[in-house]
Amino acid sequence: DVQLQASGGGLVQAGGSLRLSCTASGIRVDDYGIMWFRQAPGKEREGVLCISRIAGTRYWADSLKGRFTISSDNAKNTVYLQMNSLEPEDTAVYYCGARAGPYCSGLPHYWGQGTLVTVSS
């Protein structure tokens, strides 16, 4: 069975940093576009970042450039989302997904459960 496990969330003060992890089983992350989404309370889900062997790195929001970066460790079968200079507006449940192709367009074929990030002012 394919499983994606997002972890690393927690409570952090504004200006702080967190590194989220998306660890896959049943698939190799290098064979998929690994996509990070987030959903804030009362808001719709939005795309954050994606990384794939074909597409490289894709940002869905220009406002995240310079603060968020994505990287992959194929040996650990894990994709990381490094979040710096966090703002209260970044508070959300962060989800990772895997898109076949491996593309960064479209929606994931597999979803993880998500991890909660809370940024206090």
Side-chain angles (χ1 to χ4, degrees):
D1 293 339
V2 175
Q3 288 190 332
L4 301 175
Q5 181 63 53
S7 61
L11 176 64
V12 63
Q13 292 184 338
S17 299
L18 284 174
R19 188 179 73 165
L20 307 183
S21 299
C22 179
T23 299
S25 61
I27 62 169
R28 295 302 312 273
V29 297
D30 191 53
D31 293 331
Y32 288 79
I34 305 300
M35 316 167 95
W36 284 98
F37 294 81
R38 67 183 183 183
Q39 187 167 20
K43 304 293 184 180
E44 295 184 355
R45 184 169 56 208
E46 63 175 347
V48 178
L49 270 169
C50 178
I51 187 170
S52 86
R53 171 164 35 88
I54 293 177
T57 300
R58 175 183 174 182
Y59 286 82
W60 271 275
D62 289 338
S63 62
L64 299 179
K65 294 180 179 179
R67 298 197 301 119
F68 287 19
T69 57
I70 191 169
S71 62
S72 179
D73 188 335
N74 291 332
K76 297 181 179 179
N77 209 28
T78 297
V79 171
Y80 302 99
L81 179 65
Q82 179 67 46
M83 306 184 296
N84 299 324
S85 301
L86 284 164
E87 304 169 355
E89 292 75 18
D90 296 317
T91 295
V93 177
Y94 285 73
Y95 301 89
C96 64
R99 165 73 185 183
Y103 301 130
C104 281
S105 60
L107 293 175
H109 291 84
Y110 306 106
W111 289 93
Q113 291 185 345
T115 184
L116 176 63
V117 172
T118 303
V119 184
S120 62
S121 59

